[in-house]
Amino acid sequence: MLGWVQRGFQRAYERVLKREIGDGPTHVAIIQDGNRRYARKRGDEATDGHRAGAQTTEQVLEWCEELGIEELTLYTFSTENFERPPEQQEPLFDLIEQKLYDFADADRVHEREVSVRAIGEVHMLPDRVRKAVEYAESRTAAYDGFTLNIALAYGGRAELLSAARDVCRAVESGDLDPADVDVAAVDERLSRKPVRDVDLIIRTGGDERTSNFLPWHANGNEAAVYFCAPFWPEFSKIDFLRGIRTYESREKSWQRTRTERAVALVRAVAEVELADARTVAGRLRGQLPSSGADEVSAELERRVEESAD
């Protein structure tokens, strides 16, 4: 009886959370932390925790489809994980290899046109895992319905360092003018990068840090971050919806700040030259949501009326 009541409450709470969510993020990245601690808590082997976490991953893919999220990146194996003893690494490689083949052959992946991609220093992985990566990527390469990035042998600092070295080599060889070193020059040299900038990072397991995860695509985009206590195998749909709600709240606050700055800029320029203020307002309106664009227009109209008096 208690279980039925609890499930009913969870379903009701899910509906409440969904009503609080608007368009939501386009790209969500998740640090799947706590598999080993989950297993220890239950008296199981670490591999049991990782298998339970893999089941959570499949559920999250369904939630993403339901909410219209277009890209998901999962932090699966970091460069720091290579420091673990072989007896801990090998079961992880077994599971990663198996899941890559499973995803590549799953009917739902092909029905939903999911593109499976690995990001990170893939060349550092064992040959059998690299072959599984190649298989999954080749089987889903033509799809663009949804993008699933699996971060393998990934480290954010290593990614940025490699791109910086490529830029230096290009400048030294004369293929790139120093004056042309910009965001695009670095971005195009990031190997196996996500398709989109990250809107939201979720970390399970209770730690409140992003652990060198996607610094270029998350920090540069001022991504929202949601930390939660459940271990990854315990991560629920309610937890996921709370994360999306965090993104929504942060996005509204950010848009409010942008609008206020835009209005202040139009006001300041109009005090000097009204024609310039019109030009600035036109550019800003295209960068703001409709409500923000309306506020900029209203401020410009006030300044025009004041100048006519």
Side-chain angles (χ1 to χ4, degrees):
M1 177 67 178
L2 182 60
W4 180 85
V5 171
Q6 185 177 23
R7 287 193 296 273
F9 173 78
Q10 289 175 337
R11 286 193 294 269
Y13 188 33
E14 286 175 13
R15 289 194 293 272
V16 170
L17 288 171
K18 283 183 181 178
R19 286 197 292 269
E20 296 178 357
I21 293 173
D23 293 335
T26 299
H27 182 184
V28 175
I30 302 179
I31 301 172
Q32 309 160 96
D33 197 13
N35 289 328
R36 295 170 63 83
R37 285 176 286 162
Y38 170 81
R40 282 199 300 268
K41 184 178 74 171
R42 295 167 58 91
D44 296 333
E45 297 293 327
T47 51
D48 296 321
H50 291 299
R51 290 194 187 96
Q55 294 177 356
T56 300
T57 298
E58 295 187 14
Q59 291 179 318
V60 170
L61 287 169
E62 295 178 3
W63 303 337
C64 285
E65 181 186 24
E66 181 182 326
L67 295 172
I69 294 166
E70 298 176 15
E71 186 164 359
L72 175 67
T73 300
L74 300 172
Y75 205 174
T76 304
F77 193 90
S78 71
T79 50
E80 288 78 11
N81 287 147
F82 284 113
E83 299 174 5
R84 292 182 178 180
E87 61 269 20
Q88 292 184 14
Q89 291 185 38
E90 289 304 315
L92 269 176
F93 290 143
D94 289 342
L95 183 60
I96 292 168
E97 179 187 4
Q98 175 193 335
K99 286 301 176 181
L100 283 168
Y101 282 115
D102 288 348
F103 273 127
D105 292 333
D107 290 340
R108 65 182 181 280
V109 167
H110 298 283
E111 290 167 0
R112 300 173 186 175
E113 298 192 339
V114 176
S115 173
V116 180
R117 304 166 68 244
I119 63 172
E121 305 293 323
V122 175
H123 64 275
M124 297 175 63
L125 297 167
D127 183 63
R128 60 192 177 93
V129 180
R130 291 200 306 272
K131 288 181 178 178
V133 167
E134 292 170 3
Y135 182 78
E137 289 184 336
S138 62
R139 287 273 285 155
T140 62
Y143 296 150
D144 60 3
F146 180 83
T147 301
L148 172 63
N149 302 311
I150 314 245
L152 295 171
Y154 179 85
R157 286 184 176 180
E159 179 183 46
L160 292 178
L161 182 59
S162 176
R165 285 172 172 163
D166 283 349
V167 168
C168 291
R169 282 192 289 266
V171 170
E172 185 179 17
S173 65
D175 294 331
L176 179 65
D177 191 299
D180 294 331
V181 177
D182 55 11
V183 170
V186 175
D187 190 68
E188 67 186 16
R189 288 170 170 80
L190 295 174
S191 62
R192 292 179 164 269
K193 61 184 179 180
V195 174
R196 303 168 181 84
D197 282 341
V198 179
D199 300 310
L200 170 66
I201 291 179
I202 295 174
R203 179 170 187 148
T204 63
D207 283 345
E208 297 188 0
R209 51 197 173 90
T210 55
S211 295
N212 198 22
F213 189 34
L214 299 173
W216 181 265
H217 295 88
N219 295 347
N221 194 42
E222 298 184 14
V225 181
Y226 177 68
F227 300 111
C228 59
F231 299 137
W232 178 241
E234 300 169 325
F235 186 70
S236 69
K237 189 175 183 179
I238 286 176
D239 297 316
F240 190 63
L241 292 171
R242 284 171 173 164
I244 304 300
R245 184 176 61 181
T246 295
Y247 163 80
E248 292 276 350
S249 299
R250 177 225 172 271
E251 187 69 7
K252 289 177 182 176
S253 174
W254 185 63
Q255 294 288 8
R256 180 70 252 161
T257 300
R258 289 186 67 190
T259 297
E260 290 172 355
R261 289 175 178 171
V263 170
L265 180 58
V266 169
R267 184 183 303 121
V269 174
E271 290 175 356
V272 179
E273 179 56 58
L274 193 58
D276 290 343
R278 288 193 177 96
T279 301
V280 170
R283 292 175 180 172
L284 292 172
R285 279 193 293 259
Q287 302 172 10
L288 295 169
S290 57
S291 59
D294 291 343
E295 288 189 43
V296 169
S297 297
E299 179 62 28
L300 181 61
E301 289 176 9
R302 279 194 293 271
R303 294 299 164 177
V304 171
E305 292 173 359
E306 288 176 4
S307 65
D309 289 341

